[in-house]
Amino acid sequence: MALEAGDTEQEDNNEDRLITKASNGKMESRQETQSSEGEEEEEDEEDEEPRLKYASLTKHLKSVYRNADATSAFLVGGDKMVIGTHNGNIHVLSLPSYTSIKVYHAHSTSVSAVSISPFPPPLPAPRPKLTTRLVSAHKLSPASSVAGTIKSSTPHRSPQPPPVPITASNQIYIATSSIDGNVCVASLTDPKDVMLRNFGRPVQGVALSPDYKNDHSYLSGGLAGNLILTVGGRSGTSSKSNAGAGAAATASGWLGAIGLGSNTGQDTILHSGEGAIRTIQWSLSGKYVVWVNEKGIKLMRSNLHLETHESESAWKRINHIDHPNRAVWEEMAGVWRPQAKWIDETGLETDDLDIGPMNGLHQKSQSQTSHESGAPLPKSTPQRKRSEKLLVGWGDTIWITNVLPGGASSGKGAGKIARVEILTILRTDCIVSGVSLYTPSLLVVLAYVPAGENVSSPQSTPTRGRHRRQNALQPEIRLIDVETQEEVSVADTLNVSRYESLSATDYHLDVLPAMQISQKAASSRGALEIIGGGIWDVGMYPARLFSSSASVKSDGSHSAESSSRAPSDLHVASSVPGSDQLVHPSALTHGMKIFIQSPYDCVLATKPTLADHFSWLDTHAMYEQAWNLLDQHPEAAGDNSEASTESTPSTPTRAPAKGQGTLLDFFLDDKSQTTLPGPGQRNLNSHVEREKRRIGELWIQQLTKHNDWSKAGATCGKVLTTGDHWEHWVWVFAQADRLEEITPYVPSTQLQPPLPSIVYELILGYYVSNDRKRLKSLLERWSTELFDAGPVIEAIQGRLQVGDIGESSIEDGHVGRDWRILMECLAKLYLADGRPAQALRCYIRLQDADIAMRLIGKYHLVDAVSENIPDFILLRVSKEQQRSAPMSELEHASREPIRLLVAEAHHGIVRPESVIKQLNTRYGTPNPYLFFYFRALWEGETANGGQSQGETTSRVRRQPLIDERLVATEGKALVSDHADTALPVFAEYDRRLLMDFLKTSQTYTLDFASKICKQRKYIPELVYLLSKEGRMTEALRLIIDEIGDVSQAISFAKDQGDQSLWDDLLNYSMNKPSFIRGLLEEVGTSIDPVKLVRKIPEGLEIEGLKGGLKRIIREYEIQHSISEGVARVLRGEVAAAMADKGKGLNKGIKFEIGETKKDPITMHNPRTGRPRQVKKGYCPGCEKAFLPEDTELLISFPCQHIFHLPCLFSMDGKEREDIPASVMNLDWQSEFDRSIGPKVDHAALIRNQVDQGCPLENRDAG
């Protein structure tokens, strides 16, 4: 069946290939004669993103196709790939390096089936650093023959191959069947552990027991229609089947089992009579066996893992599923090769295959699948958790079933070994050459479609004897939704060699389940990278699968493109040390791997990665989605810093383009690895950033080409990161008169390299002429460090000089809006240009007091406003307020500038003369602003409450704070320097302050002051001025005549303290009865009341005279009484204090003594000061020492004499016979003495004695 590779390539060199695309099984050919409708449909289909990516492994399996051999059987499991060929060779390769472990010749013709036991464990998920350790240490070498029955694959004697390392994953058995009627079971590690058994008829299927290492049993079947269980056999021998041989075979079997016979093994027919058996498979648990013959699908309970009550269930059939009852099935059931696969549901991909792979937009749980009838699946039960899922593809039909353990011990399901639940039956329009579950809800189907035939149509049934084989079409990979039974995407057509001559049985599909990774591993790398990255992250489209050096036969292999590519492949391979044992970094992938095998090619299909998705978006000009993908997942760009941006992937069915690499190139290209920047870092020169900029530029070009300038501007703000790109696109927008669309997104921070300032100046100049509101917002958002302020200042000044924008111009109903905006922008630009004085003038014109005051304080610009003080004072006073606002409002509005001027007057920067002159010139005298200024000076109201504005700046920050009183004193002096100017101002606005000024200041002119007071009839002020001139009598007369206030007259006379003034007051008051009464009531003791009464004219009627006299007499009596009372109180308090002091000196202190001291001490009499020797701890009365056991009460005096109580009473020399003994000898601590009288008498006796003082000191004093 196999041809030489060179011949094959020569044949295909002259063939014209059709680039086809399959959609739901309907084939569309893009030929010259196709209609325009077909072209449009095909273009739409090509725009759909592939759900799988493909890579050719043919180039890495050169040893398999050596000597024009072709593959006929295929199996992958764990870290092993086992391939059987039409020449009868068995190739065992290591995954993921695809390095040959062992090659041996097992059969004389085509291998029909392969089985391994035990099934190797799945590949681990090693660290990337361990990838290089996966290089196999063994090269391809033919295996030796076994016992002379297994012939060498070469005619000459070859060197002995190195032994297979004995590891856990290598200790497996490999069983192969062949149409030569033999079944070969060989150990991978032990070359002598080989058995060959001949069954006399072609064997189509073989399945080793999962526990073959212990039970040495396997199942086989073929064209004879018998399902045979073979047990035992001797290693290194070749034997014939003894199925049906009767007692002799049985005896040989059991004698061999005990070592007395030949031990050729025992064959048992488990089932027969229903046609050829094409497929046999053990379940993953080993409990069940499925096989398919011409009648249908059979399931049987195996002899493994039997419970005690299941001992009789071994090798009993469970269920039978008939094939569809259609005419084509009667003819083809024995021709189509069934595909049976037990599904490991933990190794499936996730249901995230909707729009855009890896985006996670489609989530469908397995529970959503239903029966063919549409009924929902049964609810999950404990038994369901132990069920095993079986998938069978046969002909045009796919069965999905669950095999559940037997029912309960009683009830409807009692006694059943197990039960089969058919979940779904799918009918397709193709022949199923391979099938597996890709996700819980998606099937991956390897579809074979004969040219011009519909396998489901009865009319297409070939007539017996008149069948003419037609050329087949290319195989397809289809993803079918289990629930809807429809394809979820356009089928991918595979470009395999010599597909025209291949049949459905020539193709094989097998999968490696997705690896289970820990949460920790998933968090350390991107989840999508883990699922789809690494070794299996290979070329995305079938067009890239095969080149001339990758396939035994490849269409168009001698084209110019492929020819130019071949040397590159060879160069890369040779440039890598040990390239013949190239290690694949498969440890970096964890997703499902789908292997598709044809006789001449091997294809690997995996889930597309983010990089594949990005590449597809880039190729199809979907730049917005591509950029967003890179922004969210930088790893999608890879790390190929030198990758050409012109190389784009093709669709799955297109021929390989120039520059596209193969699987080897992909693995050797270390630039595909992505290195992400650290947290908070952004490397603008990284491959990711360069890709984002490239895609962003293409996105903007696409938008501007479609005149979507608004979105293009927003996109610029999102994708542009460098100054040169920004400069380019700003000029593009400016030339198109579309600056308004890009302006909001121009960077407001400095870029690296920086964006030229002319870009900002161009935009600002545009808005000076067209939109002043936007100009203001830009200057608020942009730092003045981004551009040169000079050109913009000139543009604003030129716009103001035109004259159409002024304080009175109206814009959108607002007077002077644009003028104010331009002035504000001009002031801000002046500050940026280092001209704060010009900026201050702008803010003063704008009456922006807050900013103006800050500028003055920051840059010391008070002297800059000294030439225009009125406008400075009016910073917060609007024109409307100047016309009609009350004084309080004007005062509040002008307070801050007034205080600042006062503060600077104290420092001599702005002298009061300048302020007075400018205010009088504009407003005349008096005016409210001059009053506010004089009053602030007088009261010391400076900026910051007593501190000058200068003190808040760095100029005087080191000076001590000025005391408020000193500031007020200095301010009064400054006002006094302009007293005659201040007089009319105070007289106009504040009489209280006028009186204070008249009393305090000494510099004003008395005559001028008196004149002002007379003009305004300010009598109190005039009285003060007359008194200040010494004209007391005139002042008193004014009080009496003009004011008529006797109280004020009396107060005036009291203040002056002049007796003659009192006499004048009495004389002026004698003809005024009300004044006389007032004098009597209020004069008090200031004048002699007798003198006052005598001066009252006789006969003058005075209302209240009697009461006045009584009051004045009462006041004198009260004063006399108070004086006497005070004297008495004073004398009493002095006497009491002296008595308390004496008693304190003589009063005793009661206490108890605990120990005695015999050394005398010298004490002094507190009264006389005489020294006296005292024995400390002795009683002076009895001269006995105080002991702790004494019961007598002790009395101590301040002189430190201590007496026994009886001794104290006897010290005065008097006998106390009148004192009862019960009182004298009272025991205070007795608990039986409860009488009160003796205690009271005893206490009174002690108090009287103690109050007399120490008898010794009294004796010395006497």
Side-chain angles (χ1 to χ4, degrees):
M1 293 182 64
L3 299 177
E4 292 293 337
D7 297 340
T8 302
E9 294 175 2
Q10 187 64 33
E11 288 179 9
D12 290 346
N13 187 34
N14 298 323
E15 294 181 1
D16 295 329
R17 306 195 59 183
L18 299 179
I19 301 177
T20 59
K21 194 74 174 178
S23 175
N24 295 326
K26 304 300 182 182
M27 305 303 298
E28 300 280 349
S29 298
R30 207 172 354 166
Q31 303 178 9
E32 295 180 358
T33 59
Q34 66 186 151
S35 64
S36 60
E37 180 180 356
E39 291 179 356
E40 294 177 359
E41 182 178 355
E42 183 169 320
E43 290 177 358
D44 293 340
E45 291 172 353
E46 289 183 355
D47 288 339
E48 182 177 353
E49 184 172 2
R51 299 302 183 97
L52 294 171
K53 63 174 182 177
Y54 303 88
S56 172
L57 302 180
T58 306
K59 186 175 181 180
H60 304 275
L61 304 178
K62 292 181 179 180
S63 61
V64 177
Y65 304 107
R66 186 176 299 168
N67 298 325
D69 202 356
T71 61
S72 59
F74 176 76
L75 180 145
V76 290
D79 61 344
K80 300 293 185 297
M81 175 186 287
V82 183
I83 300 175
T85 70
H86 284 290
N87 288 345
N89 297 323
I90 308 300
H91 298 262
V92 183
L93 296 92
S94 173
L95 298 179
S97 64
Y98 303 103
T99 304
S100 178
I101 299 177
K102 186 174 183 178
V103 179
Y104 58 94
H105 187 70
H107 303 279
S108 60
T109 186
S110 301
V111 177
S112 59
V114 178
S115 177
I116 58 178
S117 176
F119 214 73
L123 280 172
R127 298 186 301 273
K129 294 181 180 180
L130 300 180
T131 304
T132 56
R133 301 182 185 178
L134 300 179
V135 181
S136 175
H138 308 284
K139 297 182 178 180
L140 293 175
S141 177
S144 303
S145 60
V146 179
T149 61
I150 303 178
K151 299 180 181 180
S152 173
S153 60
T154 57
H156 60 276
R157 190 174 185 88
S158 60
Q160 184 70 18
V164 177
I166 300 177
T167 62
S169 62
N170 287 343
Q171 291 181 339
I172 61 174
Y173 288 89
I174 302 173
T176 56
S177 61
S178 174
I179 60 177
D180 63 2
N182 293 327
V183 171
C184 177
V185 181
S187 171
L188 180 61
T189 57
D190 187 358
K192 297 181 180 180
D193 190 359
V194 180
M195 290 189 298
L196 188 69
R197 197 171 191 85
N198 184 271
F199 290 89
R201 294 287 301 276
V203 180
Q204 300 289 341
V206 65
L208 288 177
S209 168
D211 195 26
Y212 179 84
K213 184 177 181 180
N214 298 317
D215 59 19
H216 290 276
S217 64
Y218 61 88
L219 297 171
S220 61
L223 296 183
N226 298 328
L227 178 66
I228 300 175
L229 170 65
T230 301
V231 180
R234 180 178 297 175
S235 299
T237 62
S238 175
S239 60
K240 292 185 178 181
S241 172
N242 52 30
T250 304
S252 174
W254 71 263
L255 287 173
I258 63 176
L260 298 179
S262 60
N263 190 19
T264 60
Q266 175 66 40
D267 294 330
T268 304
I269 299 177
L270 302 179
H271 184 269
S272 63
E274 293 187 353
I277 297 175
R278 303 296 302 272
T279 298
I280 308 171
Q281 292 290 336
W282 290 74
S283 68
L284 299 179
S285 66
K287 292 183 178 181
Y288 311 106
V289 175
V290 61
W291 75 96
V292 182
N293 55 29
E294 296 181 12
K295 298 299 182 181
I297 304 168
K298 316 291 183 181
L299 284 104
M300 177 182 288
R301 181 65 167 90
S302 73
N303 63 340
L304 298 180
H305 311 297
L306 291 171
E307 302 291 341
T308 303
H309 64 279
E310 297 176 335
S311 58
E312 298 181 358
S313 300
W315 307 118
K316 287 189 176 181
R317 197 170 72 176
I318 299 172
N319 203 348
H320 168 78
I321 302 174
D322 289 330
H323 64 65
N325 186 18
R326 298 196 300 272
V328 66
W329 276 88
E330 297 297 334
E331 190 72 25
M332 301 298 295
V335 177
W336 290 331
R337 187 189 69 215
Q339 308 292 327
K341 189 171 187 62
W342 296 91
I343 302 301
D344 179 8
E345 297 184 75
T346 63
L348 302 179
E349 290 284 2
T350 55
D351 284 321
D352 59 354
L353 299 176
D354 235 0
I355 302 173
M358 317 292 285
N359 288 348
L361 301 177
H362 177 59
Q363 295 285 336
K364 185 188 295 184
S365 65
Q366 187 178 357
S367 62
Q368 290 178 306
T369 58
S370 61
H371 294 281
E372 186 178 15
S373 62
L377 296 180
K379 294 183 178 179
S380 177
T381 63
Q383 283 186 341
R384 189 179 240 349
K385 294 180 181 179
R386 293 184 285 122
S387 66
E388 297 192 60
K389 181 162 290 187
L390 173 63
L391 190 62
V392 178
W394 188 14
D396 61 352
T397 306
I398 300 172
W399 289 265
I400 304 176
T401 63
N402 266 354
V403 181
L404 295 91
S409 58
S410 62
K412 184 177 180 179
K416 287 187 177 182
I417 302 173
R419 54 193 178 93
V420 179
E421 182 181 82
I422 300 177
L423 301 179
T424 305
I425 300 178
L426 299 177
R427 182 178 176 183
T428 67
D429 56 358
C430 64
I431 298 175
V432 178
S433 294
V435 65
S436 181
L437 265 183
Y438 184 50
T439 74
S441 62
L442 290 181
L443 286 172
V444 56
V445 178
L446 176 58
Y448 175 84
V449 182
E453 295 185 6
N454 187 342
V455 298
S456 301
S457 174
Q459 291 79 3
S460 65
T461 304
T463 304
R464 189 180 300 273
R466 295 180 59 84
H467 176 67
R468 188 183 72 174
R469 181 184 179 93
Q470 298 184 11
N471 289 340
L473 300 180
Q474 293 168 294
E476 299 173 356
I477 291 294
R478 301 181 182 181
L479 293 177
I480 301 176
D481 191 298
V482 176
E483 182 179 359
T484 63
Q485 301 189 7
E486 294 181 356
E487 295 183 31
V488 297
S489 64
V490 177
D492 295 332
T493 302
L494 304 180
N495 290 338
V496 298
S497 302
R498 309 183 215 179
Y499 63 87
E500 301 91 343
S501 62
L502 299 180
S503 66
T505 59
D506 292 323
Y507 296 103
H508 305 271
L509 182 145
D510 205 353
V511 300
L512 284 181
M515 298 181 186
Q516 300 301 312
I517 59 174
S518 65
Q519 186 68 25
K520 181 177 180 181
S523 62
S524 63
R525 303 173 63 228
L528 299 178
E529 180 187 358
I530 289 174
I531 294 174
I535 175 179
W536 309 115
D537 186 13
V538 291
M540 181 174 178
Y541 304 100
R544 297 177 61 185
L545 294 183
F546 314 110
S547 65
S548 60
S549 61
S551 174
V552 173
K553 177 186 177 187
S554 178
D555 291 324
S557 60
H558 290 284
S559 63
E561 294 180 354
S562 59
S563 299
S564 62
R565 181 62 184 163
S568 175
D569 294 340
L570 295 175
H571 173 72
V572 172
S574 61
S575 63
V576 179
S579 59
D580 57 336
Q581 295 183 356
L582 177 65
V583 177
H584 293 210
S586 59
L588 300 180
T589 185
H590 302 84
M592 177 181 287
K593 277 73 70 176
I594 304 171
F595 294 87
I596 302 102
Q597 186 80 31
S598 76
Y600 313 106
D601 293 293
C602 184
V603 180
L604 171 64
T606 56
K607 188 175 184 178
T609 63
L610 286 174
D612 302 322
H613 182 41
F614 167 72
S615 179
W616 188 88
L617 294 174
D618 186 12
T619 304
H620 290 76
M622 302 173 70
Y623 301 120
E624 180 177 2
Q625 297 91 324
W627 193 92
N628 290 330
L629 177 65
L630 284 181
D631 189 48
Q632 297 173 7
H633 302 284
E635 63 271 18
D639 193 27
N640 189 0
S641 58
E642 299 178 1
S644 172
T645 59
E646 299 177 358
S647 177
T648 55
S650 63
T651 58
T653 57
R654 292 173 184 165
K658 182 178 181 180
Q660 292 179 342
T662 61
L663 184 65
L664 175 62
D665 300 326
F666 176 85
F667 288 132
L668 292 179
D669 187 7
D670 56 359
K671 300 172 185 175
S672 63
Q673 303 300 321
T674 300
T675 303
L676 298 179
Q681 299 179 356
R682 187 178 184 184
N683 184 7
L684 296 179
N685 293 323
S686 67
H687 175 59
V688 175
E689 292 299 325
R690 291 200 307 272
E691 278 295 284
K692 289 179 69 175
R693 287 196 296 270
R694 180 183 69 83
I695 295 298
E697 294 267 350
L698 294 173
W699 183 10
I700 299 171
Q701 290 177 8
Q702 186 181 65
L703 294 173
T704 55
K705 183 178 179 180
H706 292 85
N707 291 323
D708 193 352
W709 293 95
S710 178
K711 188 173 182 179
T715 304
C716 288
K718 183 183 295 185
V719 306
L720 299 182
T721 56
T722 60
D724 52 348
H725 288 83
W726 267 109
E727 182 181 10
H728 167 73
W729 283 108
V730 169
W731 284 109
V732 170
F733 275 71
Q735 291 171 0
D737 196 20
R738 293 287 185 169
L739 276 178
E740 294 182 356
E741 278 77 6
I742 196 174
T743 298
Y745 309 101
V746 174
S748 58
T749 57
Q750 194 65 270
L751 299 178
Q752 292 298 332
L755 180 60
S757 63
I758 191 174
V759 173
Y760 296 96
E761 295 161 13
L762 170 70
I763 298 174
L764 293 174
Y766 171 82
Y767 285 109
V768 167
S769 302
N770 296 280
D771 191 343
R772 266 69 64 179
K773 292 178 65 177
R774 179 68 67 85
L775 172 68
K776 179 181 178 181
S777 65
L778 289 178
L779 287 178
E780 290 174 350
R781 187 165 64 92
W782 290 349
S783 171
T784 54
E785 297 178 355
L786 298 174
F787 56 89
D788 184 6
V792 186
I793 291 175
E794 294 178 1
I796 295 176
Q797 289 175 339
R799 192 70 184 87
L800 290 173
Q801 290 173 0
V802 173
D804 59 335
I805 297 178
E807 295 184 62
S808 58
S809 61
I810 300 177
E811 294 84 19
D812 297 335
H814 300 279
V815 179
R817 185 198 68 184
D818 284 0
W819 177 84
R820 292 188 62 84
I821 291 175
L822 290 178
M823 290 299 294
E824 289 175 1
C825 295
L826 189 61
K828 184 174 182 179
L829 293 171
Y830 274 136
L831 287 175
D833 203 33
R835 293 185 275 177
Q838 288 86 336
L840 178 60
R841 294 189 183 98
C842 293
Y843 285 121
I844 290 177
R845 290 191 64 185
L846 291 168
Q847 290 188 305
D848 194 335
D850 294 333
I851 299 180
M853 298 304 293
R854 285 201 299 268
L855 289 179
I856 291 170
K858 182 177 182 180
Y859 297 102
H860 326 307
L861 297 177
V862 176
D863 55 344
V865 301
S866 60
E867 297 178 0
N868 192 11
I869 290 176
D871 287 341
F872 176 61
I873 292 177
L874 297 178
L875 273 175
R876 298 187 188 277
V877 182
S878 65
K879 294 181 179 179
E880 182 65 27
Q881 287 178 315
Q882 295 178 39
R883 289 191 295 266
S884 59
M887 283 289 294
S888 60
E889 188 174 342
L890 292 176
E891 177 187 0
H892 183 270
S894 61
R895 179 178 300 168
E896 188 175 3
I898 290 292
R899 290 184 174 183
L900 180 58
L901 291 173
V902 169
E904 299 303 332
H906 285 286
H907 290 85
I909 297 177
V910 181
R911 298 299 301 170
E913 293 84 356
S914 177
V915 178
I916 295 169
K917 180 180 179 180
Q918 293 187 44
L919 290 177
N920 286 338
T921 301
R922 177 173 292 190
Y923 301 108
T925 304
N927 62 78
Y929 306 109
L930 186 57
F931 164 67
F932 300 147
Y933 179 70
F934 275 139
R935 186 179 64 180
L937 273 176
W938 185 262
E939 296 180 351
E941 296 180 3
T942 60
N944 298 320
Q947 300 179 32
S948 68
Q949 179 70 15
E951 289 177 311
T952 62
T953 65
S954 60
R955 173 167 52 92
V956 293
R957 193 167 293 170
R958 295 184 299 271
Q959 300 179 3
L961 298 178
I962 302 175
D963 187 86
E964 293 184 7
R965 292 173 298 178
L966 297 178
V967 173
T969 301
E970 185 180 354
K972 288 179 173 62
L974 292 174
V975 176
S976 297
D977 292 341
H978 307 276
D980 291 341
T981 304
L983 274 173
V985 175
F986 289 152
E988 176 70 22
Y989 296 105
D990 194 341
R991 285 187 63 184
R992 181 195 61 79
L993 190 57
L994 173 63
M995 177 60 77
D996 185 30
F997 177 71
L998 293 175
K999 291 181 178 181
T1000 304
S1001 178
Q1002 304 296 328
T1003 60
Y1004 57 86
T1005 304
L1006 290 176
D1007 293 340
F1008 181 67
S1010 300
K1011 179 181 177 181
I1012 292 176
C1013 291
K1014 287 179 182 180
Q1015 290 174 353
R1016 296 181 176 274
K1017 296 183 181 180
Y1018 290 169
I1019 302 302
E1021 290 80 359
L1022 189 56
V1023 168
Y1024 173 76
L1025 292 173
L1026 290 175
S1027 64
K1028 190 172 184 180
E1029 294 178 9
R1031 299 156 63 182
M1032 304 299 179
T1033 303
E1034 294 182 21
L1036 185 60
R1037 175 65 67 178
L1038 280 175
I1039 295 173
I1040 296 172
D1041 295 339
E1042 297 295 336
I1043 301 177
D1045 188 350
V1046 65
S1047 299
Q1048 185 175 351
I1050 293 172
S1051 176
F1052 179 74
K1054 288 181 179 180
D1055 292 339
Q1056 302 303 323
D1058 188 357
Q1059 186 61 38
S1060 62
L1061 198 59
W1062 282 107
D1063 294 339
D1064 292 339
L1065 178 58
L1066 290 176
N1067 293 333
Y1068 294 151
S1069 302
M1070 287 303 102
N1071 59 351
K1072 298 177 178 61
S1074 59
F1075 267 68
I1076 294 174
R1077 191 184 65 181
L1079 288 171
L1080 292 174
E1081 293 177 351
E1082 299 184 21
V1083 73
T1085 59
S1086 299
I1087 59 176
D1088 187 359
V1090 177
K1091 183 178 179 180
L1092 174 60
V1093 173
R1094 287 178 179 176
K1095 278 186 172 289
I1096 298 175
E1098 294 183 4
L1100 181 63
E1101 184 178 353
I1102 301 172
E1103 185 179 356
L1105 177 60
K1106 184 178 179 180
L1109 292 174
K1110 287 182 178 181
R1111 183 172 181 177
I1112 195 171
I1113 293 171
R1114 190 181 305 112
E1115 286 182 0
Y1116 270 93
E1117 290 178 349
I1118 290 172
Q1119 185 176 3
H1120 180 70
S1121 176
I1122 289 173
S1123 299
E1124 288 184 350
V1126 170
R1128 285 196 301 271
V1129 170
L1130 182 59
R1131 287 193 298 270
E1133 288 181 354
V1134 171
M1138 293 297 293
D1140 289 341
K1141 182 178 180 182
K1143 289 181 179 180
L1145 294 174
N1146 298 326
K1147 189 174 182 181
I1149 300 174
K1150 183 177 71 173
F1151 68 94
E1152 296 182 359
I1153 300 297
E1155 60 180 349
T1156 60
K1157 293 183 181 179
K1158 297 182 179 180
D1159 298 334
I1161 60 173
T1162 301
M1163 301 297 298
H1164 295 271
N1165 191 322
R1167 295 184 180 179
T1168 62
R1170 299 174 184 176
R1172 180 182 178 87
Q1173 293 291 328
V1174 178
K1175 288 185 177 181
K1176 197 67 173 178
Y1178 285 82
C1179 175
C1182 63
E1183 297 185 355
K1184 294 181 179 180
F1186 302 122
L1187 300 176
E1189 58 269 14
D1190 286 346
T1191 58
E1192 297 290 346
L1193 199 60
L1194 303 180
I1195 301 297
S1196 175
F1197 291 92
C1199 60
Q1200 297 193 5
H1201 290 134
I1202 305 172
F1203 298 87
H1204 292 110
L1205 182 59
C1207 297
L1208 181 62
F1209 285 116
S1210 62
M1211 285 296 291
D1212 57 0
K1214 300 179 182 179
E1215 297 183 1
R1216 312 304 290 265
E1217 297 178 356
D1218 56 334
I1219 300 175
S1222 61
V1223 176
M1224 193 66 182
N1225 301 320
L1226 180 64
D1227 186 1
W1228 289 85
Q1229 299 180 353
S1230 174
E1231 61 181 352
F1232 302 104
D1233 190 354
R1234 299 180 180 274
S1235 58
I1236 300 301
K1239 294 181 179 179
V1240 174
D1241 294 340
H1242 188 270
L1245 182 64
I1246 294 175
R1247 183 176 61 254
N1248 292 336
Q1249 186 64 37
V1250 171
D1251 287 345
Q1252 297 177 9
C1254 177
L1256 296 179
E1257 299 300 333
N1258 290 337
R1259 186 183 306 164
D1260 293 341

